Amino acid sequence: MIASRRNFLMGAAALSAAVVTPETVRAMTAMRIATDWGLATADVEADVAPQAMRLIHGRAPAGLEGALYRNGPAKFRRPGRSAAHWFDGDGMVRRFRISDGRAELAARFVDTPKRRQETRLDAMVMPGFGTVGDPRAEIGSNDDANAANTSVLMAGDALWALWEAGSAVAMDPETLETRGMVTHRPDLKSMPFLAHPRREPDGRIWNLGMGRGQAMVWRLSAAGELEAATMIDLPRASYVHDFTATARHLVIVLQPWVQARMTMPFSEGFDWRPEEGTQVLVIDKDDLTKRRVFDLPAFGFFHLGDAWSDGGDIRFDVCVHRDMDFAARGASEVLNGVPLDGEPARLAMVQLKADGSADLQRTDHVAEFPRGDPRRAGLPRRFTLHTAGEASDRPFASAIGMTDWRAGRTRAFDFGADHVMDEMVFVPRPGGSEEDDGWLVGPTLNLAARATELHALDAARIEDGPVATWRADAALPVSFHGVWHG
């Protein structure tokens, strides 16, 4: 175990070796932030104390009670040095609470070693996904560079802020105070824990931690307690941001963006190799040595929907990119004001057949951040909830869509060009059992009003738009992923 752990933590050594590169401050940043689009990646200078949001449309649905927690980068620039990539900003956890028909917003930066060190230096010095390190960075492990900026997970009485290359960070779900890094066992300290864990309907948590051609398979209880941590070998060292699972299997999609070098920034170590196609590794949850590999055409991806078994086949949805240019280049350009020229992701369905063959059914629907009914995780389902409205020259979504695979159609609501759409979550209606019997809840950034808004839509009537909208006296940048806790 120690040798394998060393292989995993070689990334920390690469970080340390990379900090001699001089600063690459982007000249267009100031001009970019002066525009409305700059709000989507603007800096937040301080935590946001709990504040009431003003109801500006409709009224809160009866029975919608709970909190939406979301995470995303919110600090990119400091006088002494700035981050060069959208994925490398400091994580800020937002809490949107709905109670008695009222909504409240609070937001707090995750108090990581990275943020403390960079606050002291007044410079963004840590290497990251697309940012070269600075000689002033003090790095002893992955977690010294942990931005805790990608997603959140409820684990027992704690809220975990997640980043894909290091430990989860525990926070208090009420005060949003940081409690510290989550270490499940001394020999597992600082091991990677992806930002996209998968929950079974009974609450059990599965996750991966990636390390070149290996993966740590994490199995945790519903309360976040360690049940097992097992290292497995992978067919190749693909970039894996997300995986999926059925009731019986883990499904790991290995795209042809392959790590060829140990270097910093992290993204520069990968090569796009479309001639190698995409592989899908299916592993039995009860026996991780039982595995099958399926072959698909080449595509890039960040996010997958929940998988399910269909007879002897396995199905899951994926938001397919033409390649991974956005990760390698586009996300830096978004942060620094350079217009994009790529194509948005489109929704597709994968079918892994019992005979060993596999199909990729592409659609024309622009889509990202696929979600579903959490009660059906790993079970057969009909709908995929996703963002929509992106275009080649618009890096952010403006719409929310719901694709009905059975009917073969997508219903959507577009908030308009002045809105930047975050991922939404499905919240089941109390007592309801149908897959669309509930609400879609999530925020947008209203560029015209320069304010963050929270919306609730009826999932069965998404095209009618929000049944309730609240507006905050704050404009927070775009976040990545969230979870509902009711």
Side-chain angles (χ1 to χ4, degrees):
M1 181 64 199
I2 293 175
S4 296
R5 179 173 182 270
R6 284 176 179 164
N7 289 339
F8 255 60
L9 298 182
M10 280 179 65
L15 296 178
S16 300
V19 298
V20 295
T21 306
E23 178 185 4
T24 56
V25 176
R26 302 297 183 104
M28 295 183 66
T29 297
M31 175 169 37
R32 176 72 170 89
I33 298 307
T35 69
D36 282 343
W37 279 108
L39 285 176
T41 57
D43 286 340
V44 177
E45 299 302 333
D47 298 338
V48 178
Q51 60 171 253
M53 301 182 73
R54 180 164 49 94
L55 183 67
I56 63 171
H57 170 76
R59 65 178 183 178
L64 181 59
E65 302 270 338
L68 172 66
Y69 295 94
R70 293 194 58 77
N71 193 359
K75 179 66 176 177
F76 308 93
R77 307 164 187 90
R78 293 183 184 274
R81 191 175 188 268
S82 298
H85 197 284
W86 187 20
F87 299 171
D88 293 335
D90 290 340
M92 170 174 264
V93 172
R94 297 88 154 148
R95 185 189 66 225
F96 298 90
R97 175 178 286 154
I98 300 175
S99 179
D100 296 326
R102 299 180 178 86
E104 175 194 84
L105 168 66
R108 195 162 181 173
F109 281 103
V110 189
D111 185 21
T112 61
K114 171 190 184 297
R115 180 166 171 80
R116 290 196 297 272
Q117 187 178 153
E118 292 177 336
T119 298
R120 173 172 54 84
L121 295 172
D122 206 13
M124 306 293 276
V125 299
M126 288 296 175
F129 190 92
T131 301
V132 175
D134 181 275
R136 292 168 287 178
E138 300 170 7
I139 303 173
S141 75
N142 301 30
D143 283 338
D144 290 322
N146 191 334
N149 66 1
T150 310
S151 190
V152 283
L153 172 72
M154 286 299 305
D157 67 349
L159 177 72
W160 289 2
L162 305 180
W163 184 65
E164 64 187 27
S167 304
V169 183
M171 304 178 73
D172 186 304
E174 178 60 33
T175 66
L176 300 183
E177 179 182 4
T178 299
R179 295 176 179 173
M181 298 289 175
V182 177
T183 299
H184 295 284
R185 211 169 59 200
D187 62 317
L188 300 175
K189 183 179 175 64
S190 301
M191 290 290 279
F193 189 85
L194 283 186
H196 287 280
R198 295 285 169 176
R199 271 196 191 273
E200 296 180 345
D202 66 1
R204 172 176 276 169
I205 300 163
W206 292 86
N207 204 3
L208 301 178
M210 307 309 299
R212 299 198 76 178
Q214 294 179 302
M216 174 68 78
V217 177
W218 297 96
R219 193 183 78 221
L220 310 177
S221 72
E225 298 164 339
L226 181 66
E227 293 182 348
T230 307
M231 196 78 74
I232 64 170
D233 291 324
L234 301 174
R236 64 185 181 202
S238 294
Y239 173 67
V240 176
H241 175 74
D242 192 6
F243 74 106
T244 189
T246 71
R248 291 184 48 212
H249 297 98
L250 304 178
V251 181
I252 306 173
V253 179
L254 301 168
Q255 62 186 320
W257 201 39
V258 181
Q259 189 171 20
R261 298 165 295 280
M262 288 292 292
T263 187
M264 283 290 125
F266 181 71
S267 60
E268 292 189 1
F270 286 79
D271 291 338
W272 179 249
R273 300 174 178 174
E275 69 280 2
E276 296 184 11
T278 296
Q279 294 179 307
V280 184
L281 175 63
V282 177
I283 302 175
D284 192 305
K285 286 180 175 179
D286 292 331
D287 183 351
L288 301 183
T289 66
K290 293 182 179 179
R291 53 171 60 194
R292 291 176 290 166
V293 177
F294 298 82
D295 293 311
L296 286 170
F299 62 83
F301 82 100
F302 287 102
H303 301 114
L304 307 167
D306 286 314
W308 70 93
S309 294
D310 181 8
D313 298 349
I314 291 175
R315 294 180 182 269
F316 62 91
D317 42 348
V318 53
C319 294
V320 171
H321 289 259
R322 181 178 59 191
D323 52 35
M324 289 303 282
D325 184 63
F326 182 80
R329 178 184 61 89
S332 291
E333 296 180 347
V334 165
L335 179 62
N336 294 291
V338 180
L340 295 182
D341 57 4
E343 287 295 319
R346 298 183 186 274
L347 191 62
M349 177 66 71
V350 172
Q351 181 180 8
L352 308 178
K353 299 181 180 181
D355 65 6
S357 64
D359 287 334
L360 177 68
Q361 175 192 347
R362 297 175 184 263
T363 76
D364 292 330
H365 304 309
V366 172
E368 252 297 2
F369 304 113
R371 301 288 298 246
D373 182 347
R375 299 169 301 180
R376 288 172 167 78
L379 305 176
R381 60 183 170 83
R382 175 179 176 181
F383 296 108
T384 297
L385 171 66
H386 53 82
T387 59
E390 290 185 52
S392 59
D393 59 348
R394 179 189 170 99
F396 305 108
S398 64
I400 190 71
M402 202 162 185
T403 293
D404 183 336
W405 293 101
R406 187 183 303 167
R409 67 188 181 101
T410 295
R411 297 176 293 115
F413 178 79
D414 197 321
F415 287 85
D418 286 337
H419 284 258
V420 175
M421 181 82 244
D422 271 10
E423 163 201 75
M424 281 191 163
V425 300
F426 175 80
V427 180
R429 194 185 312 272
S433 59
E434 294 300 317
E435 195 176 342
D436 61 351
D437 189 5
W439 304 282
L440 311 179
V441 180
T444 65
L445 176 59
N446 186 326
L447 302 175
R450 303 183 70 85
T452 291
E453 295 179 352
L454 179 67
H455 309 278
L457 292 78
D458 187 328
R461 301 177 61 87
I462 184 175
E463 60 273 21
D464 292 345
V467 297
T469 295
W470 297 266
R471 181 178 291 171
D473 292 328
L476 299 180
V478 173
S479 56
F480 291 146
H481 301 291
V483 64
W484 177 265
H485 182 64

